[in-house]
Amino acid sequence: INYTDGKMYYKTNTNTISELGGNLEDKAATKEPMGIVDRTASTIAFDNATRTFSITPNGASFDVYVTGTKFKITSAKTVQIPDTTGLYYFYFNTAGNLAYRTTYFVWETDAMVAYAYWNSTAQAAVYLADERHGVTLDWQTHEYLHRTRGAAFASGFSISNYSLNGDGSA
């Protein structure tokens, strides 16, 4: 299939090729781009004292795309979670606002930022994972990789402060 004309095509089960009805820049058809353009242009953090997740530009701004719409983030964005133990998913929504949910990301509408596990007994986010992927990884491939391969750590992840002598109850 030739994409040089900028249009998207699909092949039917009768071996005919039909135009999808849009071009590669048609966000309604592709819901792309999706993600943070340059993850090094921002910093993520979680403040245990206030249960607040933040993403802050390292310079003047950073850009995030949500379903093909570009948002320029020029100041720190924060969201506070309740004091309830569980996994929290942080993302930019289709309005360009930082939000959280307690259910898995909605791949085609959430520009994922991070997730954290909050332990209300310890009053701490005991795990914070970075999900700031660039815009060259489309959301369907991203979802496929998570669901079939899971998370992969190339560096910076080590397990510590554990005991091999316990009975597993802790």
Side-chain angles (χ1 to χ4, degrees):
I1 297 174
N2 182 350
Y3 293 99
T4 59
D5 61 0
K7 296 181 180 177
M8 296 179 12
Y9 297 89
Y10 65 96
K11 188 174 183 179
T12 67
N13 59 2
T14 60
N15 287 328
T16 61
I17 296 175
S18 301
E19 187 177 341
L20 186 59
N23 59 42
L24 294 177
E25 288 102 26
D26 184 357
K27 72 178 183 177
T30 64
K31 298 181 180 164
E32 292 293 340
M34 179 79 83
I36 294 173
V37 174
D38 178 3
R39 65 181 294 233
T40 65
S42 62
T43 301
I44 61 170
F46 193 92
D47 183 339
N48 289 328
T50 62
R51 300 182 321 278
T52 301
F53 174 80
S54 63
I55 182 167
T56 306
N58 287 334
S61 65
F62 68 91
D63 296 327
V64 60
Y65 280 86
V66 186
T67 62
T69 301
K70 180 181 175 179
F71 297 95
K72 184 171 285 299
I73 309 300
T74 59
S75 62
K77 300 296 179 190
T78 63
V79 64
Q80 185 180 43
I81 63 169
D83 191 8
T84 304
T85 295
L87 194 56
Y88 293 84
Y89 300 87
F90 303 101
Y91 63 97
F92 282 100
N93 63 24
T94 56
N97 298 318
L98 184 64
Y100 77 86
R101 66 173 74 243
T102 57
T103 57
Y104 206 43
F105 296 113
V106 178
W107 294 90
E108 63 269 21
T109 60
D110 297 349
M112 297 176 283
V113 178
Y115 49 93
Y117 187 83
W118 175 256
N119 182 318
S120 63
T121 303
Q123 289 293 291
V126 295
Y127 182 71
L128 178 63
D130 190 350
E131 273 294 334
R132 294 173 293 162
H133 291 279
V135 295
T136 57
L137 180 64
D138 69 275
W139 69 263
Q140 286 184 321
T141 302
H142 190 178
E143 178 182 20
Y144 170 80
L145 291 170
H146 269 276
R147 294 192 187 278
T148 61
R149 305 281 195 282
F153 293 93
S155 67
F157 184 76
S158 65
I159 298 173
S160 62
N161 196 23
Y162 60 90
S163 171
L164 298 176
N165 300 323
D167 63 6
S169 62

